[in-house]
Amino acid sequence: MNSTKITVISALAVLASAFTACKKDNSPLSDPVSEKTTISVENVLNSKPLVESGVFQGGGSPLILPGQSVTIQFSAAKGEAVSFATMYGASNDLFFAPENPGIQVYSSYGAPIEGDVSAQVKLWDNGTRINQKPGTTVSHPGLAESRNITEVNATDAQGNTYLAASKLIKATLKYNGNSLFALTIENTSGGTANETPLSPGVWSVSYIVGGNLLNAAPLYMKDKPSANGLTWIAEMGDNGPLSTYIKSITGIFTPLSPVLVVVYSGIDNPLYKVGENDRNQGLKDLAQKGDASVLASFLKGKTGVKSVYVLAASTTNVLLPAINGQPGCRVSQELSVTKGDRVAIATMYGFSNDWFFASGADGIDPLKKGDVSTNIALYNNGTALDQFPGAGITQFNLAGTPLTESKPISLVPNPNPFTTLPDIQNFVRVTLQ
């Protein structure tokens, strides 16, 4: 074989090899390998029954003398009530407090109540000291006894007489808008047979859930023994121990709405973008009402979205926090994912106007295992006027109608203008396994 023929054959072999390589490179790629992973979302909030509480005392001295007054500022939703306790100073163990659950601040129609609400304040006998005649020198600590708390209605257990509580203490409500109230407590006992100073006191407002207050008797219980530091107020006018107890049961309570879970690929986060207004695709319904169905329906037809789920608790629908010794609710969903997929989740801060927990701009890597809660943050949807979380008259889940506003979606600051929130990881736990 001559050298020219060998060269031609060699060239043809090279071309054939090159053609084969090109053909292989341009063949369809094999499908990415799918993997199974399970996402779980849990409400891990250590909830508290009282939405707000605090202390009060006189201006010039701790005592509130006849003719003096103090004012308490608080927020409340329909059905919530404000309670307080302060010592009838010229006694052995009497105290003023509203009848439980406290002073109602809205009518049955949801209209704020204003004006004189003194008729709701009562005089109570703590039952731990024998009473002396009003106007005589009160001996402290006095003779001990052991009875349940009872109302002093004209006379006490020893037959001593008293004016009605509303003649000795005046309580006035003022509504300052956006669910914010002021309660002024005035000592009006001056010049009466029951003239007395009022001691420093404690006040509280309970959450309402499903029409029921979480703690309808936070300061005292009628016909029960005094407890939790109330005796220190009733006998000595010292509000410290009761204040410590009340602080320990004051904090955050909120359910989480059914959780929206979206698997997507090759697109930006399909739920929201910080700095942009709500896209009017259904996120507002989730953020204001806890209804994920509108956004879920929209996303099912969106390019780049691979699967959409709405995860609801089996019995309560919403994810309740830990309460009364019961653990918080948890929901789970198995996902089929491939490399490059991302997962977005969103759930409403139930006792807000339009706050929602969601994964960040880049979503969650579904192939990562373990706790991924650091990917979650709390956002303000910017579509409803904010109020104190859990104490707003226009909050949808507290039987209200949100007041419309139009602002870009933003992170909820912490502390915020209303309260200080726990860390996000103490609200929501998201895990992949």
Side-chain angles (χ1 to χ4, degrees):
M1 185 179 293
N2 60 45
S3 60
T4 302
K5 189 173 181 179
I6 293 173
T7 302
V8 170
I9 291 172
S10 299
L12 290 171
V14 170
L15 287 171
S17 176
F19 178 77
T20 302
C22 286
K23 186 174 182 181
K24 183 178 180 180
D25 286 347
N26 285 282
S27 63
L29 296 174
S30 58
D31 291 335
V33 178
S34 294
E35 295 188 27
K36 300 292 185 182
T37 188
T38 298
I39 188 168
S40 297
V41 182
E42 183 180 4
N43 188 336
V44 293
L45 178 67
N46 181 19
S47 67
K48 305 293 185 180
L50 301 185
V51 60
E52 284 188 277
S53 66
V55 296
F56 60 88
Q57 65 179 40
S61 71
L63 297 177
I64 306 163
L65 301 174
Q68 295 181 340
S69 64
V70 295
T71 298
I72 299 164
Q73 304 275 355
F74 63 96
S75 293
K78 182 181 176 182
E80 294 177 347
V82 60
S83 189
F84 66 86
T86 177
M87 180 188 183
Y88 179 121
S91 74
N92 292 85
D93 69 340
L94 303 183
F95 66 95
F96 293 100
E99 182 107 40
N100 284 324
I103 296 173
Q104 295 294 324
V105 296
Y106 293 99
S107 71
S108 59
Y109 301 103
I113 294 172
E114 294 191 276
D116 192 335
V117 291
S118 306
Q120 298 184 55
V121 181
K122 309 293 182 182
L123 180 61
W124 303 90
D125 187 339
N126 195 54
T128 52
R129 298 289 170 183
I130 294 175
N131 298 313
Q132 293 175 285
K133 182 179 179 181
T136 61
T137 300
V138 176
S139 60
H140 290 291
L143 299 176
E145 62 177 354
S146 182
R147 294 185 296 106
N148 292 337
I149 294 173
T150 56
E151 182 182 352
V152 177
N153 191 0
T155 60
D156 61 22
Q158 283 70 43
N160 300 310
T161 59
Y162 300 85
L163 294 173
S166 59
K167 301 293 185 181
L168 307 175
I169 187 170
K170 183 177 181 180
T172 308
L173 271 177
K174 182 182 179 183
Y175 184 59
N176 294 320
N178 208 31
S179 301
L180 183 63
F181 289 85
L183 174 67
T184 298
I185 301 169
E186 181 183 359
N187 186 337
T188 57
S189 69
T192 72
N194 299 120
E195 183 168 334
T196 180
L198 305 178
S199 75
V202 173
W203 64 270
S204 67
V205 178
S206 171
Y207 283 101
I208 189 166
V209 180
N212 298 310
L213 294 170
L214 289 182
N215 191 335
L219 304 181
Y220 74 97
M221 294 185 69
K222 181 180 179 180
D223 298 325
K224 298 290 183 181
S226 183
N228 304 318
L230 175 63
T231 294
W232 288 73
I233 283 185
E235 292 187 4
M236 293 169 280
D238 181 355
N239 62 356
L242 183 58
S243 172
T244 298
Y245 167 73
I246 290 298
K247 284 181 181 178
S248 73
I249 60 172
T250 302
I252 302 299
F253 179 98
T254 187
L256 304 178
S257 70
V259 183
L260 179 67
V261 178
V262 181
V263 180
Y264 65 99
S265 180
I267 59 173
D268 291 336
N269 188 316
L271 306 185
Y272 74 97
K273 185 175 182 180
V274 170
E276 288 185 355
N277 282 29
D278 182 271
R279 297 168 180 170
N280 200 30
Q281 297 169 349
L283 180 61
K284 181 175 76 171
D285 297 88
L286 184 151
Q288 289 189 11
K289 304 175 183 178
D291 179 6
S293 63
V294 178
L295 184 55
S297 295
F298 173 84
L299 292 173
K300 286 177 181 178
K302 182 177 175 64
T303 301
V305 172
K306 301 178 69 174
S307 54
V308 179
Y309 306 92
V310 177
L311 312 182
S314 57
T315 55
T316 58
N317 195 44
V318 299
L319 280 66
L320 292 173
I323 184 172
N324 297 328
Q326 298 297 315
C329 290
R330 182 173 181 261
V331 292
S332 299
Q333 177 64 49
E334 185 180 76
L335 307 175
S336 180
V337 296
T338 59
K339 185 176 181 180
D341 285 351
R342 309 300 291 181
V343 173
I345 75 165
T347 178
M348 179 190 181
Y349 183 122
F351 279 2
S352 73
N353 296 79
D354 66 340
W355 293 354
F356 65 99
F357 294 99
S359 47
D362 295 330
I364 298 169
D365 181 356
L367 299 181
K368 181 179 180 181
K369 302 300 182 182
D371 191 330
V372 293
S373 306
T374 54
N375 288 271
I376 308 301
L378 182 60
Y379 299 92
N380 186 339
N381 190 236
T383 55
L385 186 67
D386 288 334
Q387 295 168 332
F388 197 110
I393 188 61
T394 67
Q395 289 166 7
F396 181 85
N397 290 315
L398 292 175
T401 301
L403 297 175
T404 300
E405 68 174 2
S406 181
K407 293 181 178 180
I409 293 171
S410 61
L411 285 166
V412 174
N414 193 27
N416 56 70
F418 306 101
T419 188
T420 299
L421 300 170
D423 292 339
I424 299 299
Q425 288 72 42
N426 293 326
F427 267 112
V428 185
R429 179 178 297 146
V430 182
T431 55
L432 291 167
Q433 59 184 15

